Every structure is written in structure tokens, then in C-alpha cells.
Amino acid sequence: MKPFDLLSNAVRAKEIFTVLARHGFADLLNQIELPSGVWARFVPQPTTPRSSYERIRLAAEELGPTFVKAGQLLSMRPDLLPHPLVLELRKLQSSVQSVPFAEIKPLLVEELGCEPSDIFSEFNETPFAAASLAQVHFARLHDGREVAVKIQRPNIEKPVLADFELLAWLANQAHHRISRLTPFNLPSVVAELREGVLSELNFLNEARNQQYFNAINPHPDRVYAPAVMGEYCSERVLVMERIIGRSVDDDGIPPAERKLLAAHGAESLLHQVLIAGFFHADPHAGNVLVPADGRLCLLDWGLAGNLTHRLRLALADLLVAAVEQDAERIVEIAGELGSPSGGLDLRGMERDVTLALREDFNPQIGREQTGRALLKLIHILGRNGINISRDYSLMAKAVLSIEEVGRRLDPTFDLRTHARPVLRELHRNQMRPRTLWRDTRNLIRSSLTGIKELPGEVRRIVRRLERDDLTIKFQHQGLEEVDDALKTAANRITLGVIIGSLIVGSSLIITTRVTPTLFGYPALGMIGYLLSALLGLYVVWDIFRHGRHR
């Protein structure tokens, strides 16, 4: 972010810096060299001893909607964050006051293109629920259908964009000035978060996700998403079927029904992930309702994951390797999927993977937490430079959520039991003659295309060699600090030469006794001495301010 952007958001910037410092991150702010006096004088030191991960969560909750939503999205990236921080960020809740209907009605009228009474015979102006980005009102259409109307909070986009500008500036400063944070590539993380939050601000994405799931769902009699009234939806208003049902935590659901619901939820999610490649990314207990007809309804489709056919097959192999406690095979599959950096410690990774499996995926000691094990595995691989697809992280988070919901419904719930038939279906589909013929045909087509293009590529290279037109570009990386050091040294040498010249010139003028005089000495010489002294003090101050390495 450019300097004037920091100034244009000065009030919000001061608030962010103050909250971060109040939660014990003053040393971090010092390291990125913020403008002096921006936050320090407003900051009491934290008095309650808390872990750094808990302080991060509390700071995000205090900073408001953008940071809460960013934290919730980060909780789905175990490849980027330590496992304890991921678990802490999962606790983030959007606790906000609802917007009075008088303030939100102009936005509703603008998006609908008419007065609400033209579409709804009844509209409850008291919101049923309020979140950081939107709130939900219940209404009834003129044809009698009961609906839920999700309305975006007015003027939310501008402060969200301003917050992300500040976050991008902070991330860039931390990335370049704090060496231990450089491997995490914070600027790209913030850019990804910004894209995710802006995507959730467009309610048409959520509407499309719900419609697509209902279209491909093989068991609508067991699990479904609310129907969407597409003609009334826009980027800031979503009108969908109102779902009246019980929470999965409701003790009034009979044990037999709870067991059946847990099975249906697990089988549906596994089918979404492994067969369809399109899945609900956050099916936690708050997003699952049990209507009177005994089905499961999945709410809040603002975030969905997508897995290609290749990724789904690799995931199936990964699950099989995890069941067999085969750490070597897991590392091998991850290396094929990700973008490994050089110098990987494969043996060290295998050791870490083995320990993670023993802790969270070990039937011998009764620990069979598939989702938690997947989160740990992805973090281990990411920590070792293997960047797994973002959708894999979403998948691990979704598995963890549905596993927790399953255990709330049925204490004896075992995800592996429900995974086996879905894995068999996946492999059966893979071995069908039609699938084998399609894969063979694609392989032959791509091979023939490459063979046909090869002579032309060789001719182009030879022609460029004949014309002396072949160039090879080299790019030096990691020399930014050296470049900065050379510039700083050159500036100081230049200042030293100027100071020395001023001293010599002033001394010569002093000996001439020319007028006007100051304290009996030539004034021009005295001014030269004063300027050289000021410049010398500035150089000394700059050296002490930045340290000898600068």
C-alpha cells in the first residue's frame, strides 16, 4: 500500500495498531517500523496471561467484520498456520448488532427494484439473525411461500476494502522486515483472503452454489440445500426457502434418528468430496438443521470447495494410506500433488506424519479423528514446503466439521465406516470400460499432439539460432537487501563528501576575514560549519536509528 493510502485511512490505521498493541503485539509493530506516535501512547500492556494464538483471536474479534471473516477463512488453511492457531481461529464468532430496518430498507428496495410489499405479503422487520456481513429477515411471498431474506449490511464493502488495504500494507512490511515470517508469504495470503471475502460479499455466488448442489445431489430425500428464488436474488440480497427445523444439538431427537442423520450427513459430504468434487466448505453444527421431515438441511453456501478428478483420486489414495498408517506413501502422494521446494527432508516429514497419525488416526487406542488428522497432515506438508491446493485445506476443514456434527448426533460415529462404500464407488467408476477408454483416448490424443508439434518447435529454435536471435534471460533473486545496503552506503558516502567539503570550504572562508562577520568571524564560514554539523548529526542519528547493518 502506498504511503498516502496509510494517511487516507489514518483513523482506522490507528485503531488497528492500538488493538494489536493492546493484545501484546507491540514488539511486532516495532519491527515493521510504523510511523512514530501512531499507537504507542494509547497502549496499556495486557494484564491477563494468554497464549499468543488466543490473543490473535481476541484482537480479530475486537477489530470487527473484516478481521473476523479473514480469521474464519484462515482457519481453513492448516498448510499456512500452526495447528493450535487453526483451532483457535475456529472459535471466531461474529457478534454484531443488527442494522435497523429503516437503514437497510433503501438497499433492499434498490436491489429488488421495487418496494418489498410488491413481492412480499408479509415481511418481519426484526432480523432473525445478524452476522458481520449480512442479516436475515423472515418473509412470505404473495403465493404463500415462506422465505428467508439475507440482506447485506449497508456500505460494508468500502470499509472492508480499506481494511484489506491496511492488511496488505502490514503484510508487506512484515514480509520484508521480519525474516521468520518471510516463508509464509503474507502478501499472497492477504490477497487470497481479500478474494475470498469479496466473493462472499456477492450473494449470487452463494445462490449458484445452492442451486448446483441441489442439481447434482443424488439423495435429496436425505440431505438438501434451501431452494433459491433466483428471480429475486442479486449481489446484495438473497431470497431462499425458509427452513424450520431443530439444531443437531437438540436432545429431543430420538437416538435411532440421530444415528441415521449422522450417517446421512457423512455419506453426503464424502460423496460431495470424492465423487462430485463440489462440497460445502463449512458444515459445522450452526449450518446444519433437521426439519420435521427428518432430512438434513445444509445452510450458508457462501464458501464451497472444488476438487478436480485427479485431486479426488489422490485424496482417496491419501485416505487409504492414512488408514494403513503408511507415512511414506502419504509424503509421496503429497509431493506429486503439491509444489515442493528444494532440499526437502523426506525422512523428517515421514516421522512427523507418523506421529500425527498415531495421535489422531489410531484405531488401536480409540483415536479416529479423520478431520483433525488431515488438518495436521496438511500443516506438516505446508511447513516443509509442499504447497497443497487450497481446496484440499477446505476439504480437511469440512471433514473435521462433519465429523464433529456426526459425533454430536452419534457418540459411536466412525467416519471410516461411511467412507468405505464411497471409496469403492469412486474406484468402480474409475475402472469402468467407458472411463478407461476415455482416459486412453485422451492420452493418445495429447501424445499425438505433442509429437506433431515437436518438429515445428525444433525448427523455430534452429531458425532463431541461425538469426542470432536466441536469448536466455537470467533473473537474480534475493538481492533486494544487498541493493538496499549499497544504496544506503552510497548515500552516506555522498553525505560524508558534502560534509567534508563544507568543513574545508568554511575553514578557507574563515581565514579570509571577509564581511559580514558573526561573533568576529565571517558569517558565510560560520553557516558552513553549522550545516556540516547538522548533516553530521543526521548521519550519526540515522546509523543508530537503523543499526549498523543499514
Side-chain angles (χ1 to χ4, degrees):
M1 188 166 65
K2 299 177 181 178
F4 64 81
D5 287 329
L6 184 62
L7 293 176
S8 65
N9 296 297
V11 175
R12 180 59 171 163
K14 185 175 74 174
E15 180 183 352
I16 291 173
F17 301 151
T18 303
V19 169
L20 289 176
R22 185 163 59 242
H23 286 280
F25 298 104
D27 57 337
L28 181 66
L29 298 176
N30 279 325
Q31 290 182 67
I32 63 176
E33 299 182 18
L34 292 172
S36 60
V38 170
W39 55 270
R41 63 178 180 271
F42 298 99
V43 181
Q45 290 299 314
T47 55
T48 305
R50 302 180 187 274
S51 70
S52 58
Y53 302 137
E54 188 176 4
R55 287 187 279 117
I56 290 173
R57 174 180 62 82
L58 293 172
E61 288 177 346
E62 188 171 346
L63 286 171
T66 305
F67 290 82
V68 169
K69 184 58 66 175
Q72 290 169 342
L73 292 176
L74 277 176
S75 71
M76 302 179 186
R77 296 305 308 271
D79 54 326
L80 297 175
L81 302 176
H83 183 63
L85 178 56
V86 169
L87 296 180
E88 194 67 38
L89 291 177
R90 291 183 64 231
K91 300 176 184 177
L92 281 171
Q93 300 294 329
S94 305
S95 179
V96 296
Q97 292 291 328
S98 60
V99 178
F101 185 71
E103 295 181 21
I104 210 169
K105 183 179 178 181
L107 184 149
L108 181 61
V109 171
E110 180 183 349
E111 295 299 309
L112 293 176
C114 61
E115 289 292 326
S117 57
D118 295 338
I119 296 175
F120 307 108
S121 59
E122 299 176 17
F123 193 98
N124 190 341
E125 297 183 358
T126 302
F128 170 74
S132 55
L133 302 181
Q135 61 189 49
V136 177
H137 294 256
F138 289 149
R140 186 187 300 272
L141 298 174
H142 283 294
D143 60 10
R145 287 178 293 173
E146 292 188 346
V147 294
V149 184
K150 185 175 180 179
I151 310 171
Q152 193 174 114
R153 299 174 76 88
N155 306 314
I156 189 68
E157 187 171 352
K158 185 175 180 180
V160 166
L161 291 173
D163 280 351
F164 271 110
E165 284 186 358
L166 289 166
L167 269 176
W169 183 84
L170 282 170
N172 190 60
Q173 294 292 309
H175 180 72
H176 289 98
R177 297 179 184 274
I178 306 176
S179 57
R180 70 177 184 275
L181 296 179
T182 301
F184 295 103
N185 195 3
L186 294 181
S188 67
V189 172
V190 171
E192 182 180 303
L193 290 175
R194 182 180 185 275
E195 181 183 349
V197 172
L198 292 181
S199 175
E200 288 200 47
L201 282 175
N202 185 350
F203 292 169
L204 290 178
N205 292 328
E206 184 173 348
R208 283 190 288 266
N209 288 339
Q210 290 180 209
Q211 291 172 320
Y212 183 65
F213 172 71
N214 284 331
I216 65 171
N217 179 19
H219 299 294
D221 56 325
R222 300 178 182 177
V223 181
Y224 72 108
V228 174
M229 285 62 181
E231 64 272 26
Y232 305 127
C233 295
S234 68
E235 290 187 1
R236 296 189 291 175
V237 171
L238 175 63
V239 182
M240 56 187 164
E241 172 189 6
R242 177 183 175 182
I243 305 299
I244 301 175
R246 294 177 288 181
S247 166
V248 293
D249 293 324
D250 191 336
D251 294 332
I253 303 175
E257 185 179 348
R258 297 175 72 87
K259 195 177 185 71
L260 192 62
L261 289 171
H264 289 168
E267 290 167 6
S268 175
L269 181 72
L270 290 167
H271 187 279
Q272 294 171 42
V273 170
L274 293 171
I275 306 299
F278 172 82
F279 59 93
H280 193 302
D282 195 20
H284 62 77
N287 286 338
V288 181
L289 285 180
V290 183
D293 59 11
R295 295 185 293 169
L296 281 176
C297 182
L298 300 180
L299 307 173
D300 193 359
W301 284 81
L303 191 63
N306 295 274
L307 293 174
T308 64
H309 181 66
R310 174 173 171 265
L311 289 176
R312 298 199 301 274
L313 291 176
L315 175 59
D317 292 340
L318 199 67
L319 290 173
V320 172
V323 171
E324 296 174 352
Q325 301 281 302
D326 189 346
E328 184 177 354
R329 177 59 180 154
I330 289 174
V331 172
E332 181 184 341
I333 294 169
E336 294 172 356
L337 286 176
S339 309
S341 57
L344 292 177
D345 180 8
L346 297 179
R347 294 294 171 262
M349 271 193 289
E350 289 173 13
R351 182 186 63 249
D352 293 343
V353 168
T354 300
L355 290 174
L357 291 175
R358 286 178 183 173
E359 289 176 1
D360 293 305
F361 204 72
N362 193 340
Q364 283 75 22
I365 61 173
R367 297 293 295 269
E368 301 177 34
Q369 302 183 55
T370 309
R372 189 179 293 269
L374 286 173
L375 286 174
K376 280 192 177 180
L377 291 180
I378 292 175
H379 173 61
I380 290 169
L381 299 174
R383 190 180 64 207
N384 285 276
I386 297 180
N387 299 314
I388 302 296
S389 164
R390 169 179 175 266
D391 287 298
Y392 253 52
S393 299
L394 294 179
M395 174 276 302
K397 174 66 165 53
V399 170
L400 177 61
S401 296
I402 205 66
E403 200 168 27
E404 290 177 347
V405 171
R407 286 203 169 93
R408 289 187 183 190
L409 288 166
D410 176 17
T412 65
F413 176 81
D414 181 2
L415 187 65
R416 292 184 307 154
T417 303
H418 306 288
R420 290 190 189 102
V422 181
L423 287 171
R424 283 197 295 269
E425 182 181 352
L426 177 65
H427 288 297
R428 190 165 54 248
N429 291 342
Q430 186 65 13
M431 298 305 296
R432 285 178 179 172
R434 180 182 300 177
T435 304
L436 292 173
W437 167 242
R438 182 196 63 199
D439 293 342
T440 303
R441 185 180 57 198
N442 291 339
L443 177 62
I444 294 172
R445 183 187 297 120
S446 61
S447 301
L448 289 176
T449 301
I451 292 171
K452 286 195 298 183
E453 291 178 352
L454 183 60
E457 295 292 338
V458 172
R459 283 198 298 270
R460 276 192 287 273
I461 293 174
V462 171
R463 286 171 185 168
R464 295 188 68 177
L465 282 171
E466 291 174 348
R467 296 195 303 265
D468 293 330
D469 188 30
L470 187 64
T471 58
I472 300 176
K473 294 183 179 180
F474 292 95
Q475 181 179 3
H476 294 283
Q477 294 183 345
L479 298 179
E480 293 82 3
E481 292 186 2
V482 176
D483 185 53
D484 291 342
L486 289 173
K487 288 178 180 177
T488 302
N491 290 338
R492 287 181 181 164
I493 290 171
T494 302
L495 278 174
V497 171
I498 293 173
I499 292 169
S501 301
L502 282 172
I503 293 173
V504 172
S506 300
S507 299
L508 291 174
I509 292 172
I510 290 291
T511 60
T512 62
R513 302 286 182 178
V514 297
T515 56
T517 61
L518 186 65
F519 303 113
Y521 297 98
L524 191 58
M526 297 297 289
I527 292 172
Y529 280 140
L530 179 62
L531 285 175
S532 62
L534 291 174
L535 289 173
L537 288 172
Y538 169 75
V539 171
V540 173
W541 172 77
D542 190 54
I543 290 173
F544 279 105
R545 177 186 172 218
H546 292 106
R548 293 181 180 180
H549 65 285
R550 296 292 298 275

